[in-house]
Amino acid sequence: MKNIKFSIITVCFNSEATIERTLISVQKQNYSNVEHVIIDGGSKDSTLAIIKKHRKSIAYFVSEPDKGIYDAMNKGVAAAKGDVLLFLNSDDSLVDNDVLTDVANQYEEDSATDVVYGDVIYTSPRYEKYRKQSNKSATRWGLAKKIVQHQTLFVKKQTFLDSGGYDLKYRIIADYDWELKLFILMRCKYQYIPTPIAYVQRGGESSKFSTTVDRLDVMQKVFSPLEIIIFYRMRKFFRKKILTPSVRVLVLVRNLFRL
């Protein structure tokens, strides 16, 4: 894939406090063949004014009601003209100016690669900056435990279309459902790069991943009942019922010896 064109898709709604940082992080990329697609859900604050200020650097923009974040993302894909997509939330931003260059190099090395992903750096008032490493291998076991943050996941547009896109049945967890299709059902070729891709603000919808009632419904499409017991239910039980109290005891004993 020579001279890959990236489509960065940002969906937003009343994002006046954060969206400018997102826009600027895309504008500052050293890689030039990139378009920014903005899908707004009909913001009532100053989000539209901020977008208007940066309109020259935005390839496509629409503001209209939608059926939720995943509907807006699907709209963004329909409008995108790039070879490779990235979904960057309106409260997140790219880590540095070379992110797209680094990812393009991965695709250039192997044009058969469908997906490239990396790590995130979480930000919040409580955790100033906290790097979270993604699964190095998108195995069944790894994906049963945690999702690959979609703000770090680059995917060829055709691969996204082949996957059927985001299922609007799921309000919170459609990205997990989509990733299971990509990595397990479609067996897409992927590359993990051990570098941060995006600053991700904690506390969004994706933070509800581990507690959503839809998670088991999604897992049942891909994992056998035995796998769900071993990968998810028993792991969750042992973590909560045994491991956490044990760790607390060990910490207490260690602290006593330090007195």
Side-chain angles (χ1 to χ4, degrees), residues 235-249:
R235 174 180 173 271
K236 187 175 181 181
F237 173 81
F238 280 110
R239 183 177 70 243
K240 288 188 174 181
K241 301 298 183 182
I242 298 177
L243 295 183
T244 299
S246 298
V247 169
R248 289 176 179 173
V249 170

Side-chain angles (χ1 to χ4, degrees), residues 86-110:
L86 172 70
F87 299 96
L88 188 68
N89 292 347
S90 60
D91 54 355
D92 305 321
S93 57
L94 298 174
V95 165
D96 59 48
N97 301 345
D98 293 319
V99 168
L100 297 186
T101 300
D102 294 340
V103 173
N105 289 337
Q106 294 295 316
Y107 279 107
E108 296 290 357
E109 288 179 8
D110 186 354

Side-chain angles (χ1 to χ4, degrees), residues 113-132:
T113 297
D114 297 299
V115 173
V116 175
Y117 67 92
D119 300 336
V120 299
I121 296 179
Y122 284 124
T123 62
S124 74
R126 184 178 176 185
Y127 303 97
E128 289 298 326
K129 288 184 180 179
Y130 171 72
R131 180 170 173 175
K132 180 70 172 179

Side-chain angles (χ1 to χ4, degrees), residues 21 89 91-93 95 118-135 145-152 175 179 196-210:
R21 182 173 63 248
N89 292 347
D91 54 355
D92 305 321
S93 57
V95 165
D119 300 336
V120 299
I121 296 179
Y122 284 124
T123 62
S124 74
R126 184 178 176 185
Y127 303 97
E128 289 298 326
K129 288 184 180 179
Y130 171 72
R131 180 170 173 175
K132 180 70 172 179
Q133 187 179 62
S134 294
N135 298 319
K145 292 190 295 181
K146 63 180 180 179
I147 191 172
V148 175
Q149 290 288 339
H150 74 260
Q151 299 96 327
T152 80
D175 48 345
E179 286 185 17
I197 299 295
Y199 290 115
V200 173
Q201 188 157 325
R202 297 184 67 91
E205 290 296 290
S206 61
S207 65
K208 303 173 185 176
F209 165 72
S210 61

Side-chain angles (χ1 to χ4, degrees), residues 115 153 155 159-160 163 177-189:
V115 173
L153 194 155
V155 58
T159 302
F160 181 92
S163 74
D177 175 63
W178 174 65
E179 286 185 17
L180 293 182
K181 286 189 286 185
L182 282 182
F183 293 115
I184 298 179
L185 298 182
M186 295 174 63
R187 297 184 179 180
C188 290
K189 187 169 185 179

